[in-house]
Each structure stands twice: as structure tokens, then as C-alpha cells.
């Protein structure tokens, strides 16, 4: 038996009154995370569309969605009729063309990334502004219950001012689950580490510079990159480092999926269990330590990244529709800043490091 909304002790953003939803895309992320999260939250889904009509019909049958439609224009018409939020979950390169077909003034949540380049991200942002869309991007990790818990510890002053963030991922990732990733020029950062970049921004804001190297692995040459190192530069006090290796094919003993935040008075350590043995995952764990001499202790946090975090990205958008002055942390404007950091990472990777001069 899974968790219910009432079980969560750190709850993602939720509206006072839920709105209807229509979904464009019926792939694994929708059936595996969007729809289970919406069911838990009580968000009514009125219709679903996919290029593969059979997939849309199956999702509708599995989640009691009253309408599976064969044409995108029919889904859009249904969304208008139901005064629904449009939930777009398609490959990022297709997002802009769908946004252009939505009615002006619509509400829309789009799957990450926000396009596959900064040019596509600017196009998406411009469309949203031109059409006066209330729009968000599904960078849901910042809405995971354990990230909400960590943010509260920090806000309460438990660890003091943040001076160091380490993110380590060492595991063997099942990339075969996403066939569209094979052949992409930009892969690992755009479709994985982007979550970590975005989540770090939600804690400490925008970096001034980045240093990055992203690369292939000889055992996985069908993918453009599967290993990445990033330094996000916040000046001379705050150090932020990301160490990402998706090719650790040496038993599960030393796999890692961990974010560590150090402050002046203590530290927080989060194990993101989902990434270990994905998609089954292992248990999450939140621990913290302070300067009181009592050592590390565990903080009980119920709920995880998949699926509970997906409640907040949609719920926050619905709250924004209720109150236009509400600060929606997953807004398209904030997401654009994440895309700017990602673009800087690719630029740093292309330009290379400082040559070492070995001459005398």
C-alpha cells in the first residue's frame, strides 16, 4: 500500500481548489509519475493525447481518464471546454510547436528541459510571454519532500549560512528506458544533471560562472555523454561541486546518490534513493548534524522524488492561477535561469580548460 497525501509530513505546494488537467503525452514519465501523483493529490485529469493513440487509450483505462483523443486539436478543444491546465510531456524539441497551438491566456506545465538549447529556451519563454501563458517547467526535484525538509532546516537556521554543496552520483543508469536520448548531441546535463543544477539554484540562487566537463564512456558510445563534472562558481565563500558518473558497472556496493549541504553550524546529507537501482530505487534518507555535539541524526521524511514531487510542480501552478502575486518556484521565468546555467556548462565544456605549460 502506497502513501496517501495525508501521510506526507513535508507536503509539496498545493492549491486551495484544484483545477482540471489535460495531458499531452502518454509516455513512461506520465504513466509512472504524473498520473500517480495527480491521483494522490486529487487533481482531476479530463483527457489525454499521444501520437500513439493506443498508449493514450491505455493510460486512460489505467487511470480512469474519461477522454483519450486521437488528435492534438481535439485535446486542446477539450482543455478549453474544461478550463484545464495543459500538461505537456513530450521531447523538449517539440515543446515550442505545441505551445504555439494553445489558446492565449492558457495555463501550462511543460516537462523539462525547457528546450534542448538556450535558443529553444528563449523561444519557449517568448511564446509564453506573447501568449500570456501562466507557465511552469517540471523541475520537480526541488518539490521533493526531502528537499522541502532540507529547505526548512536551513530557513530555521539549524545549519547556519551555507558554505559548501556536494552532489555525488555514482551508479549504472538504465538509459535504454528512454530511446529518444540516443543520438542527441546534448544528453547527460540536459536530461539528468539539469535536475541537480536546478535544485541547487533553489537553495543558493544563480552562480556567476561555471566550469564543466561532460563526456562519453567507452562502454556506452551510443550516448553522447554519460559522465559530468561541474563547478558552480558562487565566489570565494560558497563551494558547489557536482560529480556525476552513470557508468559505475561494478556491483551496487559503492553506488552513490547524495547531496550534502554544509553550513557554518552544521550540515545536511540527503540520499536520493530513486537513482540507486533506478527505477525501483532504494530508500531515501535525510540526516543532519549541528554544533551541539550530539552527532548525526536522521530526520523522518515521508514521500520521495517520484512520485510525490510531481504534486508540487502542478499544485504550485494552480496556486499561481488562484493568486497571480503568488511566488511560484517552478515558473517558466525561473526555469529559464536554469537553462542559462546549463548553456554555460556546455560552453565551458566546448572551450576546454586552461592548458598546462610544462616548458621551463
Amino acid at each position: 500500500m502506497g502513501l496517501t497525501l495525508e501521510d506526507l509530513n513535508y507536503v509539496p505546494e498545493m492549491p486551495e481548489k484544484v483545477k482540471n488537467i489535460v495531458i499531452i503525452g502518454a509516455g513512461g514519465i506520465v504513466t509512472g509519475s504524473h498520473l500517480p501523483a495527480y491521483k494522490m493529490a486529487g487533481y482531476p485529469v479530463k483527457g489525454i493525447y499521444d501520437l500513439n493513440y493506443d498508449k493514450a487509450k491505455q493510460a486512460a483505462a489505467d487511470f480512469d481518464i474519461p477522454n483519450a483523443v486521437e488528435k492534438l486539436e481535439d485535446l486542446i478543444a477539450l482543455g478549453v471546454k474544461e478550463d484545464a491546465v495543459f500538461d505537456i510531456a513530450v521531447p523538449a524539441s517539440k515543446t515550442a510547436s505545441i505551445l504555439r497551438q494553445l489558446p492565449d491566456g492558457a495555463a501550462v506545465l511543460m516537462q523539462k528541459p525547457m528546450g534542448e538549447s538556450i535558443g529553444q529556451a528563449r523561444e519557449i519563454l517568448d511564446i509564453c510571454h506573447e501568449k500570456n501563458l501562466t507557465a511552469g517547467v517540471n523541475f520537480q526535484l526541488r518539490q521533493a519532500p526531502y528537499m522541502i525538509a532540507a529547505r526548512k532546516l536551513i530557513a530555521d537556521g539549524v545549519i547556519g549560512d551555507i558554505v559548501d554543496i556536494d552532489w555525488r552520483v555514482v551508479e549504472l543508469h538504465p538509459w535504454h528506458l528512454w530511446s529518444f536520448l540516443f543520438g542527441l548531441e546534448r544528453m547527460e546535463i540536459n536530461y539528468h544533471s539539469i535536475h541537480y543544477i536546478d535544485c541547487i539554484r533553489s537553495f543558493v540562487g544563480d552562480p556567476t560562472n561555471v566550469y564543466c566537463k561532460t563526456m562519453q564512456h567507452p562502454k556506452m558510445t551510443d550516448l553522447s555523454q554519460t559522465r559530468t563534472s561541474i563547478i558552480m562558481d558562487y565566489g570565494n565563500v560558497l563551494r558547489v561541486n557536482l560529480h556525476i558518473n552513470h557508468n559505475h558497472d561494478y556491483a551496487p556496493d559503492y553506488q552513490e546518490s547524495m547531496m550534502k549541504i554544509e553550513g557554518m553550524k552544521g550540515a545536511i546529507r540527503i540520499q536520493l534513493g530513486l537513482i540507486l537501482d533506478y527505477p525501483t530505487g532504494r530508500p531515501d534518507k535525510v540526516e543532519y548534524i549541528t554544533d551541539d555535539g550530539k552527532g548525526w541524526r536522521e530526520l523522518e521524511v515521508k514521500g520521495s522524488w517520484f512520485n510525490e514531487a510531481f504534486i508540487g510542480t502542478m499544485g504550485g501552478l494552480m496556486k499561481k492561477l488562484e493568486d497571480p502575486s503568488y511566488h511560484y518556484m517552478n515558473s517558466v521565468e525561473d526555469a529559464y535561469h536554469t537553462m542559462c546555467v546549463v548553456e554555460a556548462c556546455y560552453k565551458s565544456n566546448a572551450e576546454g580548460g586552461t592548458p598546462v605549460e610544462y616548458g621551463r
Side-chain angles (χ1 to χ4, degrees):
M1 187 71 176
L3 292 171
T4 67
L5 191 64
E6 290 72 26
D7 293 324
L8 302 183
N9 53 348
Y10 293 92
V11 181
E13 292 179 296
M14 294 280 293
E16 293 293 324
K17 184 178 180 181
V18 301
K19 288 184 65 69
N20 294 329
I21 299 169
V22 293
I23 302 180
I24 300 169
I29 193 67
V30 169
T31 57
S33 294
H34 290 233
L35 289 170
Y38 298 165
K39 184 177 182 179
M40 178 187 294
Y43 300 159
V45 179
K46 296 296 185 179
I48 189 166
Y49 159 81
D50 193 275
L51 286 171
N52 183 334
Y53 182 49
D54 288 338
K55 288 173 66 175
K57 285 194 297 183
Q58 187 62 57
D62 291 344
F63 290 92
D64 298 320
I65 302 170
N67 299 286
V69 301
E70 294 188 68
K71 298 179 180 179
L72 177 58
E73 52 264 39
D74 293 339
L75 192 282
I76 293 172
L78 177 65
V80 172
K81 177 185 175 184
E82 297 286 355
D83 188 27
V85 175
F86 292 91
D87 189 8
I88 301 175
V90 300
S93 60
K94 308 299 182 184
T95 300
S97 63
I98 292 174
L99 290 174
R100 291 191 185 281
Q101 299 177 63
L102 299 184
D104 291 357
V108 56
L109 179 64
M110 63 198 86
Q111 190 52 262
K112 64 83 189 167
M114 188 178 165
E116 293 182 339
S117 67
I118 197 64
Q120 290 182 16
R122 288 195 195 103
E123 181 184 11
I124 288 169
L125 185 64
D126 288 344
I127 295 169
C128 290
H129 288 167
E130 290 164 8
K131 296 179 69 65
N132 193 31
L133 303 178
T134 302
V137 178
N138 213 330
F139 288 121
Q140 69 289 132
L141 178 54
R142 56 169 70 187
Q143 296 266 9
Y146 43 71
M147 293 303 174
I148 298 170
R151 202 171 286 116
K152 186 176 188 307
L153 286 173
I154 293 164
D156 290 346
V158 172
I159 67 167
D161 293 337
I162 299 173
V163 296
D164 204 278
I165 297 177
D166 258 329
W167 209 308
R168 293 184 60 84
V169 174
V170 180
E171 48 84 50
L172 185 64
H173 211 63
W175 296 112
H176 63 276
L177 297 176
W178 305 277
S179 58
F180 73 92
L181 296 177
F182 290 79
L184 293 181
E185 182 180 353
R186 294 179 169 189
M187 200 288 289
E188 199 286 320
I189 302 174
N190 255 358
Y191 283 94
H192 191 95
S193 288
I194 192 170
H195 277 300
Y196 310 143
I197 292 168
D198 180 75
C199 192
I200 288 168
R201 286 190 54 252
S202 77
F203 282 96
V204 293
D206 293 329
T208 56
N209 302 281
V210 297
Y211 306 86
C212 175
K213 178 68 174 179
T214 186
M215 58 200 297
Q216 274 187 336
H217 191 283
K219 290 184 178 179
M220 202 172 285
T221 56
D222 289 341
L223 290 167
S224 56
Q225 307 94 24
T226 57
R227 296 175 291 167
T228 301
S229 296
I230 301 171
I231 296 173
M232 296 170 68
D233 187 354
Y234 288 87
N236 294 327
V237 175
L238 172 59
R239 185 192 77 106
V240 177
N241 185 65
L242 292 87
H243 171 100
I244 313 298
N245 175 11
H246 297 294
N247 293 93
H248 183 73
D249 190 13
Y250 305 102
D253 304 59
Y254 295 108
Q255 288 189 7
E256 296 180 80
S257 177
M258 181 273 296
M259 180 193 195
K260 178 169 60 64
I261 306 170
E262 296 185 5
M264 291 295 289
K265 299 194 302 179
I268 301 167
R269 189 182 188 279
I270 303 170
Q271 175 171 292
L272 293 79
L274 174 72
I275 301 304
L276 303 173
D277 300 326
Y278 185 94
T280 304
R282 298 188 206 162
D284 302 316
K285 191 173 186 180
V286 180
E287 299 170 283
Y288 70 98
I289 189 170
T290 71
D291 56 6
D292 61 8
K294 296 181 180 179
W296 286 94
R297 66 214 77 176
E298 186 170 350
L299 178 67
E300 182 185 17
V301 177
K302 297 179 180 178
S304 189
W305 179 357
F306 285 29
N307 301 308
E308 288 78 11
F310 289 75
I311 295 171
T313 44
M314 178 60 77
L317 179 60
M318 291 180 183
K319 288 190 75 166
K320 183 70 173 177
L321 294 171
E322 290 175 342
D323 177 9
S325 67
Y326 175 72
H327 174 69
Y328 173 40
M329 69 160 59
N330 290 96
S331 71
V332 68
E333 289 81 11
D334 188 271
Y336 179 74
H337 281 218
T338 292
M339 297 303 298
C340 290
V341 177
V342 167
E343 187 68 22
C345 287
Y346 283 115
K347 187 172 187 290
S348 173
N349 179 72
E351 293 177 353
T354 302
V356 179
E357 296 183 7
Y358 294 104
R360 298 181 63 183

